[in-house]
Amino acid sequence: MSNDMEDIDGNTILAQALKHQGVEYVFGIIGFPVIELGMALQQVGLKYIGMRNEQSAVYAAQAIGYLTRKPGVCLVVSGPGLLHVTAGMANAQINCWPLLVIGGSCAEDHEGSGGFQECNQVELSRPYCKYSARPPSAALIPVHVEKAIRYATYGRPGAAYLDFPANLLSIRIPVDKIVDKPIISQPPIIFPDIQNIESTAELLINAKRPLIIIGKGAAYGRAENSIRHFIGQFGLPFIATPMGKGVVPDEHSLSVASARTYALLNADVILLLGARLNWILHFGKPPRFDSNVKFVQIDISAEELHNSQQATVAIQADMHAAVNALNVCLTKKKWKNLRNEWLNKLKEKCLSNKKYVESMMKDTSVPLNYYTVFQHIYDNIPKDCIIVSEGANTMDIGRAVLLNNLPRHRLDAGTFGTMGVGLGFAIAAALWCQKYEPGKRVLCVEGDSAFGFSGMEVETMVRYKLPIVIIVVNNNGIYGGVDESTWSLVQDSKNLTEIIPPNCLSVNTHYENMLTLFGRKGYFCSTVEQVSNAVKKSFMDTSGPSFINIMINPSADRKPQNFAWLTESKL
């Protein structure tokens, strides 16, 4: 680290250390004691994005970490500012996305005396991240920056926190006193045990009903090329977890997502590629899975192996390296999946389920249903856009209709099931597009309840001229609300707190009018023709965000399911 000045302050030391370690993006809200730090970050060439809420800032920072594999930084003020991002830190940690949170804090000589926003921030952050520390001196700031970023990216990615008291940021020290750290090298590649690869090959060869489940870990691991070759070469059916979508195209002939329930229940060997047996996959237990199913796990984290269910083969390895090794092994054995009866049954189930969904898509009566809305959205969007989605039915049903054929092109509530992530994720995705794939667009599909968590980030999108297309699928409530006539009756009551159902929001709210605050115009839609026209016009506009508010039936629901959500295991 070089500088011509005789001495240097903590703000500049920190900014230069972040730049030196490859950080590109900082999202945050400035205030005491990090005002000067925000300026210092820009002076060294980092991209600083000022947000409207700390939670949105931390969601954006972790999403850019997922998309680039370099931690995004979230900058927050002391006390409440730091506490507001703990939910986001937990989300990054559980989602396994690299994130660095930098918090200003009370000056050390004010601690214990009721200092401004005094808070034991290092200790409070520790449960939600891999590394939490306060550099003991300005000279050692680069040491802790290097360690925090290394912890956030090595092994299973996650969150790190660094705490900076006001006095540490403002102190000046001679340049030659700074302890420099070299640039972090790429995380080491863990190669699989060849015996485990051989055992996995034998399980697949002998399986009658094999199934591949592709998880978010495969997307983060950039393993799409080896996995696509593996599935195509050996004719193996697959499904994907929400953010594993696109590693292999949703439209691939071997995708059996439409027969997900049947596939999980009847598979006898399941190969998990960066997918975890958590609630999203019903813990791998009956009644959603066969009691005798054999699992093969490939995961970067040794601690994840055998969770929920004992794996027949458990492989700790880099996903690309492991799948390549399995490709080589099965090729040498000249094997190809010829379980035609299993494949035909899966395809039959897919066709049956698709027919039911297609019948709902054709129902264009007003008020609209989810499937019709999503189909008319999908018909009018670029097929390579990044799709961000959150909300209950909005997100769940949207996954089945808004398809992804490219990896890391779907960002949603994730493993922690966090609401409020959508607009922050969309901002990060739009910034990623600006640098890495200019011209690619971001579609942010929100339920009306989910949108309410972070709606003011629309102003952030306008300020930075981000051409994000926001769609609110509006059913007047959480899960579902009431229609206008019922709402009018409710509003006549003098005891609204006792009468309004807990799931209800105001009816027919014109969320799109938020854009008029900034001199832009949104769209209010209640018919499929209006939806199609609004989507087309929005994707033609690249001058800033577009907003489409689509009214649907408050009672609209998803296709009937064979099992209730979070089906309990029958022990």
Side-chain angles (χ1 to χ4, degrees):
M1 193 180 299
S2 63
N3 197 304
D4 294 334
M5 295 176 62
E6 186 175 287
D7 57 20
I8 187 171
D9 67 2
N11 288 308
T12 306
I13 296 171
L14 176 53
Q16 290 184 354
L18 292 169
K19 179 74 172 178
H20 179 66
Q21 294 298 344
V23 168
E24 293 183 86
Y25 296 91
V26 181
F27 303 83
I29 299 177
I30 64 165
F32 181 82
V34 296
I35 298 170
E36 292 80 7
L37 176 57
M39 298 174 184
L41 294 168
Q42 288 186 315
Q43 287 171 357
V44 300
L46 296 178
K47 297 176 175 66
Y48 180 85
I49 301 91
M51 305 288 283
R52 297 303 300 265
N53 180 283
E54 286 96 349
Q55 287 192 4
S56 295
V58 75
Y59 295 141
Q62 63 194 258
I64 206 73
Y66 172 65
L67 293 169
T68 65
R69 298 222 294 187
K70 292 185 285 190
V73 169
C74 177
L75 176 65
V76 295
V77 301
S78 51
L82 184 278
L83 292 176
H84 285 171
V85 304
T86 52
M89 291 169 70
N91 190 69
Q93 187 73 351
I94 292 170
N95 243 10
C96 310
W97 287 1
L99 166 72
L100 174 57
V101 174
I102 290 176
S105 59
C106 168
E108 289 172 297
D109 58 335
H110 291 178
E111 290 179 343
S113 306
F116 176 67
Q117 296 184 335
E118 182 181 352
C119 184
N120 55 336
Q121 296 174 186
V122 174
E123 291 78 8
L124 287 169
S125 300
R126 193 161 283 132
Y128 309 109
C129 56
K130 296 176 70 176
Y131 180 69
S132 180
R134 172 188 289 182
S137 69
L140 291 172
I141 287 174
V143 174
H144 287 270
V145 167
E146 186 273 344
K147 187 172 183 180
I149 293 176
R150 177 160 41 85
Y151 270 53
T153 52
Y154 276 35
R156 172 184 278 178
Y161 173 69
L162 289 178
D163 192 68
F164 290 90
N167 57 291
L168 187 61
L169 292 172
S170 62
I171 194 172
R172 301 186 72 87
I173 65 170
V175 172
D176 61 5
K177 297 295 183 185
I178 299 171
V179 180
D180 289 335
K181 287 291 289 184
I183 298 173
I184 298 167
S185 58
Q186 289 295 314
I189 295 175
I190 303 173
F191 286 90
D193 184 304
I194 294 303
Q195 280 190 316
N196 284 336
I197 294 296
E198 289 281 352
S199 298
T200 300
E202 289 303 315
L203 280 173
L204 289 173
I205 289 169
N206 294 315
K208 294 180 179 178
R209 299 178 301 279
L211 180 68
I212 310 300
I213 300 180
I214 303 168
K216 179 171 71 250
Y220 183 83
R222 306 303 197 264
E224 54 267 19
N225 290 336
S226 54
I227 292 174
R228 289 179 181 193
H229 175 76
F230 173 66
I231 283 173
Q233 174 79 7
F234 304 112
L236 291 162
F238 72 93
I239 62 173
T241 63
M243 279 186 276
K245 286 165 60 67
V247 170
V248 181
D250 284 345
E251 295 179 321
H252 195 287
S253 61
L254 289 166
S255 170
V256 294
S258 298
R260 182 179 188 271
T261 297
Y262 181 85
L264 296 181
L265 182 58
N266 290 279
D268 61 351
V269 172
I270 294 178
L271 174 58
L272 299 163
L273 301 180
R276 292 177 280 180
L277 292 176
N278 53 22
W279 66 273
I280 292 176
L281 289 175
H282 321 289
F283 313 104
K285 295 182 179 181
R288 301 301 299 268
F289 290 78
D290 187 285
S291 58
N292 296 314
V293 64
K294 294 180 173 65
F295 290 103
V296 176
Q297 282 181 283
I298 302 177
D299 202 283
I300 195 66
S301 171
E303 291 79 6
E304 186 58 41
L305 303 177
H306 304 295
N307 269 350
S308 299
Q309 287 283 60
Q310 184 73 19
T312 303
V313 182
I315 303 172
Q316 182 194 11
D318 172 83
M319 189 60 60
H320 183 74
V323 175
N324 271 350
L326 194 53
N327 267 324
V328 170
C329 183
L330 287 169
T331 299
K332 285 182 178 178
K333 295 176 184 291
K334 298 181 180 179
W335 177 77
K336 186 169 184 177
N337 177 36
L338 298 176
R339 304 295 189 259
N340 292 329
E341 183 179 349
W342 170 235
L343 289 174
N344 290 338
K345 189 66 176 176
L346 287 169
K347 290 178 181 178
E348 181 184 314
K349 277 288 181 182
C350 284
L351 287 173
S352 174
N353 290 338
K354 284 179 180 177
K355 284 180 180 178
Y356 183 94
V357 170
E358 286 170 1
S359 69
M360 298 181 74
M361 291 174 178
K362 292 175 182 177
D363 179 6
T364 59
S365 58
V366 177
L368 300 171
N369 69 68
Y370 282 105
Y371 293 92
T372 299
V373 166
F374 286 131
Q375 186 59 48
H376 282 80
I377 292 171
Y378 187 68
D379 287 344
N380 291 286
I381 64 173
K383 297 306 179 278
D384 67 343
C385 66
I386 296 178
I387 300 173
V388 179
S389 185
E390 62 173 331
N393 286 337
T394 298
M395 182 173 61
D396 292 340
I397 299 171
R399 290 183 192 126
V401 184
L402 302 175
L403 304 181
N404 292 93
N405 291 320
L406 295 170
R408 298 170 295 283
H409 278 56
R410 174 169 292 272
L411 303 171
D412 69 14
T415 311
F416 211 25
T418 307
M419 290 295 105
V421 298
L423 274 67
F425 283 4
I427 288 168
L431 291 165
W432 181 87
C433 290
Q434 275 187 354
K435 178 172 182 180
Y436 294 97
E437 292 201 39
K440 188 182 288 287
R441 299 295 296 277
V442 176
L443 172 65
C444 182
V445 184
E446 302 272 303
D448 49 332
S449 172
F451 174 74
F453 282 82
S454 54
M456 277 309 298
E457 298 303 338
V458 170
E459 187 275 329
T460 307
M461 298 175 183
V462 172
R463 194 175 355 126
Y464 291 100
K465 298 182 179 180
L466 300 175
I468 298 163
V469 178
I470 304 166
I471 296 180
V472 170
V473 182
N474 191 346
N475 67 356
N476 299 333
I478 304 170
Y479 300 107
V482 297
D483 59 26
E484 197 165 8
S485 60
T486 304
W487 183 251
S488 296
L489 292 173
V490 169
Q491 289 293 293
D492 289 337
S493 171
K494 294 181 180 179
N495 300 309
L496 294 178
T497 56
E498 299 172 11
I499 297 297
I500 295 179
N503 61 296
C504 284
L505 301 173
S506 297
V507 304
N508 298 350
T509 303
H510 283 259
Y511 296 108
E512 79 284 355
N513 283 343
M514 286 186 69
L515 275 190
T516 64
L517 299 171
F518 315 108
R520 299 180 66 82
K521 183 182 177 181
Y523 302 90
F524 184 82
C525 305
S526 58
T527 69
V528 293
E529 292 80 9
Q530 291 171 340
V531 170
S532 295
N533 289 333
V535 173
K536 289 176 183 175
K537 289 178 181 177
S538 294
F539 275 94
M540 291 173 63
D541 184 358
T542 59
S543 62
S546 300
F547 201 125
I548 306 170
N549 183 17
I550 304 174
M551 298 305 306
I552 68 167
N553 191 332
S555 302
D557 205 350
R558 65 185 302 175
K559 182 178 76 69
Q561 305 295 296
N562 292 343
F563 294 97
W565 182 64
L566 286 182
T567 305
E568 292 288 337
S569 297
K570 309 301 181 185
L571 300 177

